[in-house]
C-alpha cells in the first residue's frame, strides 16, 4: 500500500523552477505555499501558489537561504513537505536535517546522501570503490602545493584543477604546462575560497574533445532506475546553454554501460529520489563504452530535466513527490521508454558580445510562440533584477528526430518577442543554426572556439532601418487609422537613427497613404500597405519601442536607436517654440501662460505609440503662450508652447 500523498507542500525556491514545481503539485491536487523575498512579492511563482510567506530582504542570504525562516514558514502554514527546486538550499544537508527535526518531509534525498556526494573528491573516492569509472587524477586530502604539483606530473599535462566543493564551473583552472601550475593553483584556490569557503583542490586529467553526458536516475533507497541520458556539451564558461536528450549518436553499448554505471552510483549510496550522475566523455572517437568517467552526482532536480520529461513522457517532479511520500518507484526500468528527441535552450538576460555579462531590465514586451514548452518565472512587465540568476526562461522543443527538434526550437526562438532587456536570444539562434551543432559534433569547447561569430550582434539591414524610421516617426500603424488627421501633410519627415556604431538620416516621403518611401543615403526602400506593411514583398518585422530604443523582432533581435534632438526648440522672433518631436496626443500640459519655468522642467506630456514622452523646457524662462490645447492630436514638428526669456516677458 502506498502512503498517503501530501495535502500541502512548500516550495523553497523562486523563478521558473518554483513555478514548475507548483504546476506539478497542483496537477496532483496538492496545495502549495510559495516563499518570497521582498523583491519578489509580485513574482509569478507567488501569484501561482495558493499561499505565500514572505521571508525578508532581497538578498538570498536574507531570504531563500534562511533555513530557520523556511522551516518556520512550513510549520506556520501546515505544509507537510518542502520541495527545494535547484540551487539555494537544494543540496544543503543542514536544511534537510532542520526539516527532519521539525517533522517535515524534504522532497529529495537524505542528508547523508547529499553529504556523500557534496565534495567532489570524496564522491570520486566513493564511486571508485563502487566500480564506477572516475576521471584519472588525484582526489586525496594532501593539499600541499608541491604534492599536488607532483600528482599533476604523474597524471600528465594538461590537467584540470577543480574545487572539491565546486559548482557552476567556479574554482576550475586548466593547466597546460608544469611551469604554470603554482600560479594556476593559487588562483583556483582563491576563487574556491571566495565562492565556497573551501580552497581544497583536486587534480584531474583534462579530457580531450570532452563531451558532457549525464544520466537521470531515480532511487527508492535500494534500487535505482535511469531515465536515459542528456548531452550538455554546449557550454560557455563551464555552464550549460543547450541541453538535449538523448545524446546524439550514442551507441547502444555505450548507453548501456553509462546508465548501468549511473544506477550503480546511486545504489552505492542508497539513493532515494531524483539525481543526476554526470560523466565526462572522450568524444574524439565517438562515445565509447570505455571512454566516459564519473565527474559528480547532483542530488536534486536539474535545470535541464524538461528534455528528459519530453522524451520519456514522465513528470519528474511528480516522481519526486511520490517517492518522498513513501511510494515505490512509479515504473520499472523496462517500462520506461524513450521517444524522439528533445532540446532545451536557456534564455538569459545577458550580453553575449560582452563575454556573457549578466544584464538587468524590465520585460516591457515578452511573448513566446505556441508549440514550444516554455518554463519561465516571469511575465511581461516583470523586472530581471540583479539579485538573482538572470535566466528568463527555458524553451524546450520535442520532435521525432534530432533535426526536427532543433529546427522547431530554432524557429520558435526566432518568434520570441522580448524587450527591453539585453538577452542571449541572438546567440542561441546562431548556436542552433551552427552546422557543427546541427551535425551533432559537440564538445564543451565549441562555443568558446566559435564565440566571435556566435556572439556577434545581429546585423541591421536597410529594410530594418527603413521600418525603424516609420516607427520613429509614428507612421507604422495602419494608414486608415491616421486618415482623420493629415499626418502626411508635410509630405516629408526626417529622423536620425543609430544602429551599432552607424548613424543615418532617414527621410520618409508619403506619395500616398498606403505607400511610404524611405531614403537612407542613396538607398530607397518602399513600404506598401497590404493589410500590413510590407518591404520588398516581406512583412515588416514585429517591434517594440521603449523610449528611444526600437527593438525589431522576427529572427535575432535588432536594436535601433532614435537620435532625437530632444524636445526641439526653434528660435523664433517671439522667443522659443517647443515643437512636438513626433506625432502623438498632447496628453497633459503642466505649465500655463505666464508661468516661470526652469531649464529641464517638464512642460507637457506627449503620448505616442503607447509611451509617454516628457517635453521639457530647454532653458529658464516664462511661458508666453500655449499654442495647442490639452488633448490635441499633433503632428511631428507641431508648435506647442512658446517660451520667452525673463527680459522678453517683462519688456
Ligand atoms: P561544476 O560542478 O563546477 O559545474 P563539473 O565537475 O560539473 O564542475 O564540470 C563542469 C564542466 O567542466 C564539465 O561539464 C566539463 O565541460 C568540464 N570538465 C570537467 N572536468 C573535466 C575534465 N577532466 N576534462 C575536461 N573538461 C572537464
Amino acid at each position: 500500500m502506498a502512503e498517503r500523498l501530501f495535502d500541502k507542500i512548500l516550495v523553497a525556491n523562486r523563478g521558473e523552477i518554483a513555478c514548475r514545481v507548483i504546476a506539478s503539485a497542483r496537477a496532483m491536487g496538492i496545495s502549495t505555499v510559495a516563499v518570497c523575498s521582498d523583491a519578489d512579492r509580485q513574482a509569478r511563482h507567488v501569484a501561482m501558489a495558493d499561499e505565500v510567506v514572505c521571508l525578508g530582504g532581497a538578498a538570498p542570504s536574507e531570504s531563500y537561504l534562511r533555513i530557520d525562516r523556511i522551516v518556520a514558514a512550513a510549520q506556520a502554514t501546515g505544509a507537510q513537505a518542502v520541495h527545494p527546486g535547484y540551487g539555494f538550499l537544494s543540496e544543503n544537508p543542514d536544511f534537510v536535517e532542520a526539516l527532519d527535526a521539525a517533522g517535515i518531509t524534504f522532497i529529495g534525498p537524505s542528508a547523508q546522501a547529499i553529504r556523500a556526494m557534496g565534495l567532489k573528491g570524496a564522491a570520486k573516492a566513493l564511486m571508485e570503490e563502487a566500480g564506477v569509472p572516475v576521471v584519472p587524477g588525484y582526489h586525496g586530502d594532501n593539499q600541499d602545493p608541491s604534492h599536488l604539483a607532483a600528482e599533476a606530473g604523474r597524471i600528465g599535462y594538461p590537467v584540470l584543477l577543480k574545487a572539491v566543493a565546486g559548482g557552476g564551473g567556479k574554482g576550475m583552472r586548466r593547466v597546460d604546462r608544469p611551469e604554470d601550475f603554482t600560479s594556476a593553483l593559487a588562483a583556483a584556490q582563491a576563487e574556491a575560497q571566495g565562492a565556497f569557503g573551501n580552497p581544497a583542490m583536486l587534480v584531474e586529467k583534462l579530457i580531450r574533445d570532452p563531451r558532457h553526458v549525464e544520466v537521470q536516475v531515480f532511487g527508492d533507497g535500494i534500487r535505482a532506475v535511469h531515465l536515459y541520458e542528456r548531452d550538455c556539451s554546449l557550454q560557455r564558461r563551464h555552464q550549460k546553454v543547450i541541453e538535449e536528450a538523448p545524446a546524439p549518436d550514442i551507441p547502444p553499448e555505450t548507453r548501456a554501460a553509462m546508465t548501468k554505471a549511473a544506477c550503480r552510483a546511486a545504489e552505492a549510496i542508497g539513493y532515494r529520489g531524483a539525481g543526476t550522475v554526470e560523466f565526462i566523455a572522450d568524444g574524439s572517437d565517438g562515445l565509447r563504452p570505455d571512454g566516459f568517467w564519473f565527474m559528480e552526482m547532483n542530488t536534486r532536480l536539474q535545470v535541464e530535466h524538461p528534455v528528459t520529461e519530453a522524451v520519456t513522457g514522465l513528470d519528474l517532479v511528480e516522481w519526486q513527490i511520490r517517492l518522498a511520500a513513501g511510494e515505490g518507484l512509479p515504473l520499472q526500468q523496462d517500462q520506461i521508454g524513450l521517444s524522439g528527441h528533445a532540446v532545451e535552450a536557456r534564455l538569459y538576460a545577458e550580453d553575449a558580445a560582452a563575454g556573457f555579462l549578466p544584464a538587468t531590465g524590465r520585460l516591457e514586451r515578452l511573448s513566446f510562440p505556441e508549440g514550444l514548452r516554455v518554463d519561465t518565472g516571469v511575465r511581461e512587465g516583470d523586472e530581471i533584477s540583479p539579485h538573482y540568476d538572470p535566466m528568463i526562461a527555458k524553451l524546450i522543443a520535442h520532435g521525432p528526430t534530432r533535426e526536427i527538434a532543433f529546427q522547431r526550437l530554432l524557429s520558435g526562438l526566432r518568434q520570441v518577442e522580448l524587450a527591453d532587456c539585453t538577452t542571449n536570444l541572438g546567440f542561441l539562434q546562431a548556436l542552433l543554426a551552427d552546422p557543427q551543432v546541427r551535425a551533432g559534433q559537440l564538445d564543451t569547447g565549441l562555443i568558446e572556439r566559435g564565440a566571435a561569430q556566435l556572439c556577434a550582434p545581429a546585423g541591421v539591414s536597410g529594410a530594418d532601418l527603413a521600418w525603424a524610421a516609420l516607427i520613429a516617426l509614428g507612421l507604422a500603424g495602419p494608414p486608415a487609422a491616421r486618415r482623420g488627421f493629415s499626418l502626411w501633410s508635410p509630405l516629408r519627415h526626417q529622423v536620425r537613427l543609430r544602429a551599432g556604431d552607424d548613424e543615418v538620416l532617414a527621410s520618409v516621403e508619403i506619395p500616398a497613404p498606403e505607400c511610404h518611401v524611405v531614403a537612407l543615403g542613396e538607398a530607397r526602400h518602399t513600404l506598401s500597405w497590404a493589410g500590413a506593411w510590407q518591404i520588398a514583398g516581406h512583412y515588416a518585422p514585429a517591434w517594440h519601442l521603449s523610449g528611444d530604443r526600437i527593438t525589431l523582432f522576427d529572427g535575432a533581435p535588432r536594436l535601433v536607436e532614435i537620435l532625437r534632438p530632444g524636445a526641439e526648440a526653434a528660435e523664433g522672433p517671439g522667443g522659443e517654440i517647443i515643437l512636438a518631436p513626433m506625432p502623438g496626443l498632447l496628453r497633459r500640459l503642466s505649465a500655463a501662460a505666464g508661468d516661470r519655468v526652469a531649464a529641464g522642467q517638464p512642460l507637457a506630456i506627449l503620448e505616442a505609440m503607447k509611451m509617454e514622452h516628457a517635453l521639457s523646457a530647454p532653458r529658464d524662462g516664462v511661458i508666453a503662450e500655449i499654442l495647442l490645447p490639452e488633448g490635441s492630436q499633433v503632428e511631428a514638428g507641431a508648435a506647442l508652447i512658446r517660451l520667452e526669456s525673463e527680459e522678453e516677458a517683462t519688456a
Side-chain angles (χ1 to χ4, degrees):
M1 248 304 272
E3 306 257 330
R4 203 167 160 274
L5 271 179
F6 312 110
D7 301 309
K8 189 191 275 191
I9 65 171
L10 180 144
V11 183
N13 214 302
R14 66 178 302 281
E16 65 89 15
I17 193 62
C19 297
R20 193 256 161 279
V21 171
I22 291 169
S24 279
R26 172 151 310 150
M28 296 170 76
I30 299 171
S31 67
T32 52
V33 182
V35 290
C36 73
S37 66
D38 285 336
D40 273 343
R41 282 175 188 269
Q42 307 296 326
R44 179 168 186 257
H45 77 277
V46 171
M48 275 180 75
D50 299 305
E51 289 171 68
V52 59
V53 177
C54 200
L55 298 170
S61 58
E62 290 165 32
S63 51
Y64 300 105
L65 290 173
R66 284 293 296 261
I67 293 177
D68 53 344
R69 291 189 190 160
I70 293 172
V71 173
Q75 286 173 320
T77 54
Q80 298 132 317
V82 171
H83 194 298
Y86 55 72
F88 295 130
L89 295 171
S90 61
E91 291 180 291
N92 186 322
D94 299 337
F95 183 46
V96 182
E97 280 166 357
L99 289 169
D100 286 348
I104 297 162
T105 304
F106 177 71
I107 302 175
S110 66
Q112 188 196 352
I114 296 176
R115 280 209 179 91
M117 289 298 176
L119 295 178
K120 288 182 203 277
K124 276 182 80 174
L126 192 68
M127 289 299 108
E128 214 167 16
E129 254 171 63
V132 176
V134 302
V135 186
Y138 175 75
H139 45 262
D141 291 333
N142 190 342
Q143 290 290 312
D144 185 58
S146 60
H147 178 77
L148 293 176
E151 287 292 338
R154 179 183 62 77
I155 296 159
Y157 284 87
V159 297
L160 192 66
L161 286 166
K162 264 189 199 180
V164 300
K170 292 200 188 75
M172 236 156 79
R173 281 283 185 297
R174 171 192 170 130
V175 197
D176 289 291
R177 306 173 310 169
E179 52 268 43
D180 301 333
F181 188 85
T182 312
S183 61
L185 178 66
Q189 283 173 328
E191 198 172 306
Q193 176 65 40
F196 316 109
N198 179 351
M201 287 287 140
L202 54 85
V203 193
E204 269 184 8
K205 178 144 200 69
L206 187 91
I207 307 297
R208 308 290 184 124
D209 300 312
R211 272 174 73 175
H212 176 120
V213 185
E214 58 185 36
V215 178
Q216 176 71 55
V217 295
F218 270 89
D220 64 4
I222 300 164
R223 287 171 320 117
V225 293
H226 71 82
L227 275 61
Y228 303 94
E229 76 286 344
R230 298 184 283 259
D231 193 314
C232 313
S233 300
L234 290 174
Q235 307 181 342
R236 50 134 178 90
R237 295 180 173 173
H238 302 298
Q239 285 187 350
K240 300 161 187 168
V241 184
I242 304 266
E243 302 102 342
E244 58 185 299
D249 295 331
I250 187 169
E253 58 277 17
T254 304
R255 171 177 293 151
M258 199 181 269
T259 53
K260 190 169 158 204
C263 289
R264 195 185 300 148
E267 286 170 359
I269 54 167
Y271 197 75
R272 181 169 188 88
T276 293
V277 184
E278 296 191 331
F279 296 103
I280 184 109
D282 173 353
S284 57
D285 186 21
L287 291 173
R288 287 174 289 105
D290 59 352
F292 66 87
W293 302 273
F294 172 87
M295 273 194 301
E296 64 171 342
M297 178 167 181
N298 291 318
T299 51
R300 54 171 166 82
L301 196 67
Q302 303 262 111
V303 176
E304 59 273 22
H305 75 276
V307 292
T308 297
E309 296 190 316
V311 294
T312 59
L314 301 172
D315 179 332
L316 270 54
V317 173
E318 179 196 322
W319 274 45
Q320 287 188 295
I321 294 174
R322 290 171 62 181
L323 281 161
E327 285 190 23
L329 287 165
L331 294 176
Q332 304 298 313
Q333 189 66 62
D334 59 6
Q335 297 173 302
I336 303 169
L338 178 68
S339 159
H341 203 98
V343 55
E344 168 182 286
R346 300 189 189 187
L347 178 59
Y348 282 105
E350 65 180 15
D351 189 349
F356 301 102
L357 204 66
T360 55
R362 182 175 296 281
L363 300 167
E364 292 173 11
R365 176 97 187 99
L366 181 64
S367 140
F368 296 110
E370 300 281 303
L372 293 183
R373 168 170 170 182
V374 179
D375 282 20
T376 183
V378 290
R379 299 149 301 191
E380 193 167 89
D382 285 351
E383 189 94 36
I384 300 295
S385 84
H387 303 296
Y388 313 108
D389 182 85
M391 188 158 76
I392 298 170
K394 306 184 305 203
L395 292 93
I396 303 105
H398 182 225
T401 65
R402 182 174 189 269
E403 181 54 24
I404 293 172
F406 271 65
Q407 191 55 36
R408 275 191 184 150
L409 184 57
L410 176 58
S411 119
L413 284 167
R414 286 182 172 146
Q415 296 168 55
V416 171
E417 295 181 7
L418 195 157
D420 186 36
C421 179
T422 306
T423 72
N424 66 345
L425 197 51
F427 164 72
L428 291 175
Q429 292 174 23
L431 197 54
L432 285 165
D434 181 86
Q436 242 188 304
V437 170
R438 291 304 274 263
Q441 289 161 5
L442 311 177
D443 73 86
T444 60
L446 185 145
I447 290 177
E448 212 167 306
R449 290 193 305 275
Q453 271 156 32
L454 294 169
C455 298
V460 176
S461 68
D464 285 338
L465 286 169
W467 180 233
L470 259 57
I471 297 166
L473 293 164
L475 299 170
R482 296 197 304 261
R483 234 164 229 149
F485 43 99
S486 57
L487 269 180
W488 51 89
S489 72
L491 292 178
R492 201 180 175 82
H493 305 257
Q494 287 197 324
V495 63
R496 286 198 82 77
L497 300 172
R498 179 165 51 212
D501 295 333
D502 298 331
E503 277 186 33
V504 54
L505 179 71
S507 305
V508 182
E509 274 176 48
I510 307 182
E514 297 188 346
C515 177
H516 295 357
V517 180
V518 185
L520 301 162
E522 298 291 288
R524 290 167 77 77
H525 299 268
T526 301
L527 287 104
S528 52
W529 178 262
W533 287 107
Q534 292 193 342
I535 312 176
H538 294 283
Y539 284 114
W543 54 278
H544 178 84
L545 176 73
S546 175
D548 286 341
R549 289 156 58 90
I550 300 170
T551 308
L552 300 173
F553 306 121
D554 300 351
R558 283 93 67 216
L559 186 71
V560 180
E561 279 173 273
I562 307 169
L563 301 174
R564 296 193 202 278
E568 290 192 50
E571 253 339 313
E576 232 167 311
I577 311 275
I578 316 287
L579 307 178
M582 69 197 92
L585 174 72
L586 186 57
R587 172 63 75 196
R588 216 161 39 249
L589 282 163
S590 37
D595 285 0
R596 266 196 179 75
V597 297
Q601 182 179 329
L603 303 181
I605 298 288
L606 187 69
E607 186 189 293
M609 288 157 290
K610 296 188 186 138
M611 298 280 307
E612 293 197 339
H613 304 265
L615 308 183
S616 39
R619 58 173 174 78
D620 295 352
V622 177
I623 304 290
E625 200 179 349
I626 300 289
L627 300 165
L628 283 170
E630 222 172 54
S632 304
Q633 194 74 47
V634 302
E635 297 169 19
L640 305 176
I641 297 167
R642 192 159 62 82
L643 185 67
E644 287 180 331
S645 66
E646 195 92 14
E647 301 76 61
E648 286 167 330
T650 48

